[in-house]
């Protein structure tokens, strides 16, 4: 039995050496907001944060994640969808089918944590996620809206559901 720190809680799981973190999150920890798309690190549907770094969980063996590392999934990004990225996504009706959007939001949240005022080039570099519905224009607009709302705060912190700040 291995341990992992997810969304501020220490959870236990069992996995083969090559079992991806994605499957542990979805099938053992019931955190199904993180999606399976391609399985080969291309689409970004499976994006979570590991110590604040956006990570494609389909390619990260679960057993390689130390219990000291903090994993954050879409379920733990904020309390009640209050993260500026989540608010911007709602206000601008970003999702279409929605399948890619957890990964998009996690990638965008990590981008804004590092670059609170991103340029188009910053957004292009960070947002490598694939959306089959073609929501790219709204994604870009929502990131800019979230950045603008974040500038009104002293700092665009990620307030996790456990109350900690990333
Ligand atoms: S499912 Fe992980 S990048 Fe596509
Ligand atoms: S909203 Fe449908 S795949 Fe992105």
């Amino acid at each position: 039995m291995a341990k992992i720190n997810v969304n501020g809680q220490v959870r236990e799981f069992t996995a083969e050496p090559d079992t991806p973190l994605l499957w542990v999150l979805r099938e053992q920890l019931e955190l199904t907001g993180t999606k399976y798309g391609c399985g080969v690190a291309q689409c970004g549907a499976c994006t979570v944060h590991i110590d604040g770094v956006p990570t494609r969980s389909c390619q990260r063996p679960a057993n390689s994640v130390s219990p000291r590392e903090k994993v954050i999934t879409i379920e733990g990004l904020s309390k009640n969808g209050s993260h500026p990225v989540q608010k911007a996504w709602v206000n601008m009706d970003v999702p279409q089918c929605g399948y890619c959007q957890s990964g998009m939001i996690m990638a965008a949240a990590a981008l804004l944590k590092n670059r609170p005022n991103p340029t188009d080039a910053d957004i292009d570099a960070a947002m490598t996620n694939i959306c089959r519905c073609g929501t790219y224009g709204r994604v870009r607009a929502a990131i800019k809206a979230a950045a603008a709302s974040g500038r009104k705060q002293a700092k665009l912190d990620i307030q996790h559901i456990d109350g900690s700040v990333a």
Side-chain angles (χ1 to χ4, degrees):
M1 193 72 81
K3 292 185 177 178
I4 189 168
N5 184 330
V6 180
N7 299 336
Q9 291 186 318
V10 176
R11 307 280 302 270
E12 294 186 331
F13 68 95
T14 55
E16 299 297 322
D18 60 349
T19 301
L21 173 60
L22 173 62
W23 296 125
V24 169
L25 293 173
R26 288 184 55 82
E27 295 184 349
Q28 293 189 46
L29 306 184
E30 299 183 339
L31 295 166
T32 55
T34 305
K35 302 303 185 192
Y36 171 70
C38 64
V40 291
Q42 294 298 304
C43 73
C46 63
T47 302
V48 300
H49 295 178
I50 299 180
D51 282 348
V53 177
T55 302
R56 295 189 169 178
S57 61
C58 70
Q59 290 296 299
R60 179 73 186 261
N63 282 321
S64 76
V65 181
S66 161
R68 292 186 299 279
E69 294 180 291
K70 292 183 177 177
V71 179
I72 301 294
T73 70
I74 187 71
E75 290 89 348
L77 185 61
S78 71
K79 293 179 180 174
N80 306 319
S82 60
H83 188 282
V85 169
Q86 291 171 302
K87 287 184 180 174
W89 247 243
V90 171
N91 290 339
M92 305 192 76
D93 286 332
V94 173
Q96 190 164 318
C97 81
Y99 196 84
C100 71
Q101 298 292 327
S102 301
M104 287 280 189
I105 288 170
M106 297 307 283
L111 166 64
L112 291 177
K113 182 71 172 67
N114 292 323
R115 293 192 180 274
N117 191 19
T119 64
D120 282 346
D122 293 332
I123 294 171
D124 288 343
M127 300 302 294
T128 56
N129 303 44
I130 293 171
C131 174
R132 292 178 65 176
C133 300
T135 62
Y136 299 110
R138 292 200 298 276
V139 165
R140 182 183 299 275
I143 288 172
K144 291 186 173 181
S149 79
R151 283 195 291 276
K152 294 176 187 168
Q153 303 171 18
K155 190 175 166 198
L156 189 66
D157 286 322
I158 297 174
Q159 186 77 39
H160 298 316
I161 56 170
D162 67 349
S164 66
V165 170

